[in-house]
Amino acid sequence: SIDYGDYGNEEEAFTKGQNARTMTKFAAAMMRSLQEMDYEKFELKSVPDFKLRIGICAGKVIAGVVGAQKPLYDIWGDTVNIAARMDYTGDKGKIHIPKATAHELMNLDNEGNEIEETGEHPLLDPWINCNYRGDIKVKGKGIMTTYYVDLTEDNYLVENN
Protein backbone atom coordinates (compact mmCIF):
# COMPACT_ATOMS: atom_id res chain seq x y z
CA SER A 1 0.00 0.00 0.00
CA ILE A 2 1.00 3.61 -0.46
CA ASP A 3 1.91 5.52 2.71
CA TYR A 4 0.53 9.04 2.41
CA GLY A 5 1.69 10.09 5.89
CA ASP A 6 -0.76 12.62 7.36
CA TYR A 7 -2.88 12.55 4.19
CA GLY A 8 -4.45 9.15 4.79
CA ASN A 9 -3.75 5.66 3.51
CA GLU A 10 -5.04 4.13 0.30
CA GLU A 11 -4.46 0.69 -1.20
CA GLU A 12 -2.60 0.37 -4.49
CA ALA A 13 -4.66 -0.76 -7.45
CA PHE A 14 -2.07 -3.36 -8.53
CA THR A 15 0.43 -5.72 -6.89
CA LYS A 16 4.20 -5.51 -7.42
CA GLY A 17 3.91 -8.53 -9.71
CA GLN A 18 1.17 -6.94 -11.80
CA ASN A 19 3.17 -3.70 -12.10
CA ALA A 20 6.32 -5.66 -13.01
CA ARG A 21 4.40 -7.61 -15.67
CA THR A 22 3.02 -4.37 -17.17
CA MET A 23 6.51 -2.84 -17.34
CA THR A 24 7.98 -6.07 -18.74
CA LYS A 25 5.32 -6.23 -21.47
CA PHE A 26 6.01 -2.57 -22.33
CA ALA A 27 9.78 -3.24 -22.47
CA ALA A 28 9.27 -6.21 -24.80
CA ALA A 29 6.98 -4.09 -27.02
CA MET A 30 9.69 -1.41 -27.29
CA MET A 31 12.21 -4.09 -28.26
CA ARG A 32 9.82 -5.40 -30.95
CA SER A 33 9.30 -1.89 -32.30
CA LEU A 34 13.04 -1.48 -32.88
CA GLN A 35 13.24 -4.94 -34.42
CA GLU A 36 10.31 -4.31 -36.79
CA MET A 37 11.30 -0.78 -37.84
CA ASP A 38 11.69 -0.21 -41.58
CA TYR A 39 15.19 1.24 -41.69
CA GLU A 40 15.28 1.30 -45.53
CA LYS A 41 13.13 4.43 -45.60
CA PHE A 42 15.98 6.32 -43.90
CA GLU A 43 18.32 5.53 -46.81
CA LEU A 44 21.21 4.53 -44.53
CA LYS A 45 24.46 3.05 -45.85
CA SER A 46 23.89 0.02 -43.61
CA VAL A 47 21.04 -1.20 -41.44
CA PRO A 48 21.79 -0.53 -37.76
CA ASP A 49 21.57 -3.37 -35.25
CA PHE A 50 19.81 -1.46 -32.46
CA LYS A 51 19.07 -3.50 -29.34
CA LEU A 52 17.75 -2.13 -26.09
CA ARG A 53 19.30 -3.03 -22.75
CA ILE A 54 16.55 -2.75 -20.13
CA GLY A 55 16.55 -2.90 -16.33
CA ILE A 56 13.36 -3.26 -14.28
CA CYS A 57 12.80 -3.39 -10.52
CA ALA A 58 9.37 -3.52 -8.85
CA GLY A 59 8.97 -1.61 -5.58
CA LYS A 60 8.20 1.64 -3.84
CA VAL A 61 9.30 4.99 -5.24
CA ILE A 62 9.05 8.61 -4.24
CA ALA A 63 7.68 10.88 -6.95
CA GLY A 64 7.34 14.60 -7.30
CA VAL A 65 7.79 17.75 -9.31
CA VAL A 66 11.08 19.64 -9.04
CA GLY A 67 12.08 23.02 -10.42
CA ALA A 68 10.45 26.44 -10.40
CA GLN A 69 11.49 27.76 -13.83
CA LYS A 70 11.17 24.47 -15.69
CA PRO A 71 9.14 22.01 -13.57
CA LEU A 72 9.97 18.34 -14.13
CA TYR A 73 8.29 15.22 -12.80
CA ASP A 74 10.80 12.73 -11.42
CA ILE A 75 11.00 9.57 -9.31
CA TRP A 76 13.60 8.58 -6.72
CA GLY A 77 14.40 5.74 -4.37
CA ASP A 78 16.14 2.40 -4.03
CA THR A 79 13.82 0.80 -6.61
CA VAL A 80 14.84 3.40 -9.22
CA ASN A 81 18.53 2.95 -8.41
CA ILE A 82 18.33 -0.85 -8.69
CA ALA A 83 16.49 -0.61 -12.03
CA ALA A 84 19.26 1.68 -13.33
CA ARG A 85 21.90 -0.80 -12.10
CA MET A 86 20.03 -3.66 -13.82
CA ASP A 87 20.12 -1.62 -17.04
CA TYR A 88 23.83 -0.90 -17.14
CA THR A 89 24.91 -4.35 -15.88
CA GLY A 90 22.65 -6.14 -18.36
CA ASP A 91 23.22 -7.26 -21.93
CA LYS A 92 21.90 -5.78 -25.18
CA GLY A 93 18.60 -7.33 -26.24
CA LYS A 94 17.73 -8.47 -22.70
CA ILE A 95 15.50 -7.39 -19.81
CA HIS A 96 17.55 -7.64 -16.61
CA ILE A 97 15.79 -7.88 -13.23
CA PRO A 98 16.69 -8.53 -9.58
CA LYS A 99 15.68 -11.76 -7.83
CA ALA A 100 12.71 -10.20 -5.99
CA THR A 101 11.17 -8.93 -9.23
CA ALA A 102 11.80 -12.28 -10.97
CA HIS A 103 10.04 -14.06 -8.12
CA GLU A 104 7.06 -11.68 -8.43
CA LEU A 105 6.85 -12.38 -12.19
CA MET A 106 7.06 -16.16 -11.62
CA ASN A 107 4.60 -16.35 -8.66
CA LEU A 108 7.33 -17.42 -6.22
CA ASP A 109 7.96 -16.43 -2.60
CA ASN A 110 11.25 -15.00 -1.30
CA GLU A 111 12.77 -18.51 -1.06
CA GLY A 112 11.73 -19.47 -4.61
CA ASN A 113 8.77 -21.67 -3.64
CA GLU A 114 5.41 -21.50 -5.44
CA ILE A 115 2.89 -19.35 -3.61
CA GLU A 116 -0.81 -19.89 -3.12
CA GLU A 117 -3.25 -17.27 -4.35
CA THR A 118 -4.93 -15.22 -1.62
CA GLY A 119 -7.26 -12.25 -1.67
CA GLU A 120 -4.32 -10.03 -0.66
CA HIS A 121 -1.92 -11.47 -3.23
CA PRO A 122 -3.49 -12.53 -6.54
CA LEU A 123 -1.22 -14.66 -8.73
CA LEU A 124 -0.16 -13.61 -12.21
CA ASP A 125 -1.97 -15.70 -14.79
CA PRO A 126 -0.13 -16.31 -16.99
CA TRP A 127 3.16 -15.84 -15.17
CA ILE A 128 6.38 -14.82 -16.92
CA ASN A 129 9.36 -17.13 -17.26
CA CYS A 130 12.69 -15.73 -16.04
CA ASN A 131 16.15 -17.30 -16.36
CA TYR A 132 18.79 -17.11 -13.65
CA ARG A 133 21.60 -14.85 -14.85
CA GLY A 134 23.87 -15.13 -11.83
CA ASP A 135 25.20 -13.27 -8.84
CA ILE A 136 26.74 -9.98 -9.91
CA LYS A 137 28.40 -7.07 -8.14
CA VAL A 138 26.08 -4.08 -8.17
CA LYS A 139 27.33 -0.61 -7.22
CA GLY A 140 25.95 0.42 -3.84
CA LYS A 141 24.26 -2.96 -3.24
CA GLY A 142 27.07 -5.53 -3.24
CA ILE A 143 26.38 -8.97 -4.72
CA MET A 144 22.86 -9.39 -6.12
CA THR A 145 21.18 -12.43 -7.64
CA THR A 146 19.72 -11.42 -10.99
CA TYR A 147 17.63 -12.88 -13.80
CA TYR A 148 16.82 -12.21 -17.43
CA VAL A 149 13.21 -12.22 -18.61
CA ASP A 150 12.75 -15.06 -21.09
CA LEU A 151 11.90 -13.72 -24.56
CA THR A 152 11.13 -15.43 -27.85
CA GLU A 153 13.16 -14.67 -31.00
CA ASP A 154 10.45 -12.12 -31.88
CA ASN A 155 10.79 -10.43 -28.45
CA TYR A 156 7.55 -11.70 -26.96
CA LEU A 157 7.44 -12.75 -23.31
CA VAL A 158 7.54 -16.48 -22.56
CA GLU A 159 4.47 -16.95 -20.37
CA ASN A 160 3.17 -20.01 -18.52
CA ASN A 161 -0.12 -20.97 -16.84
Side-chain angles (χ1 to χ4, degrees), residues 40-78:
E40 290 181 16
K41 68 181 178 183
F42 297 107
E43 299 177 12
L44 303 170
K45 291 181 182 179
S46 64
V47 176
D49 185 28
F50 290 131
K51 291 194 182 210
L52 294 177
R53 185 184 65 202
I54 298 173
I56 295 175
C57 182
K60 293 182 178 184
V61 298
I62 298 168
V65 177
V66 294
Q69 297 296 322
K70 186 178 176 186
L72 299 170
Y73 182 80
D74 201 359
I75 59 174
W76 306 271
D78 197 46

Side-chain angles (χ1 to χ4, degrees), residues 99-137:
K99 177 180 174 182
T101 302
H103 283 188
E104 290 284 346
L105 290 172
M106 296 188 294
N107 291 330
L108 303 175
D109 66 15
N110 293 338
E111 285 76 44
N113 302 311
E114 289 185 28
I115 55 176
E116 298 289 324
E117 183 163 6
T118 65
E120 288 183 20
H121 194 281
L123 298 180
L124 298 182
D125 184 22
W127 54 272
I128 296 171
N129 195 48
C130 301
N131 295 308
Y132 175 73
R133 187 243 174 130
D135 294 337
I136 62 166
K137 185 171 171 68

